[in-house]
Amino acid sequence: MPPKNYRRCVSCGLLAPKNYFYQVVRNFPHHQITINEGMGRSAYVCPTLECITIAQKKKRLGRTLRTSVDPEIYDQLKSRC
């Protein structure tokens, strides 16, 4: 069992402390997607270009969040790298 406040990357499967990752949130109840803010269903991705590209190509964020993710969100994530 992983220690508390550890999360797993949707792309590479890395297990690390929560504050290491970018948190992508589908906010409740409006289903608006935000990065590192809000409350709702969350997915975590490493702050590397490789993991963000894999998540986009294989639609892993969308599958985890159970909604479609706009390309703008991926562009915002990539610009933070």
Side-chain angles (χ1 to χ4, degrees):
M1 184 115 184
K4 284 189 173 187
N5 292 326
Y6 272 58
R7 301 294 186 265
R8 190 172 300 275
C9 175
V10 296
S11 294
C12 68
L14 175 71
L15 187 66
K18 182 179 174 180
N19 58 5
Y20 171 76
F21 298 110
Y22 291 141
Q23 179 185 21
V24 183
V25 183
R26 184 189 75 190
N27 289 298
F28 178 81
H30 305 294
H31 299 285
Q32 182 181 10
I33 305 291
T34 57
I35 300 170
N36 290 336
E37 60 184 41
M39 287 179 42
R41 180 169 287 279
S42 297
Y44 296 86
V45 65
C46 291
T48 63
L49 191 59
E50 182 181 353
C51 281
I52 295 167
T53 304
I54 291 170
Q56 184 175 17
K57 188 181 291 185
K58 296 187 177 183
K59 300 182 180 179
R60 292 199 173 156
L61 285 177
R63 198 173 327 138
T64 303
L65 297 174
R66 299 179 185 165
T67 190
S68 61
V69 178
D70 289 335
E72 294 174 10
I73 298 295
Y74 291 106
D75 293 339
Q76 290 176 17
L77 287 168
K78 289 175 184 177
S79 69
R80 293 180 183 211
C81 290

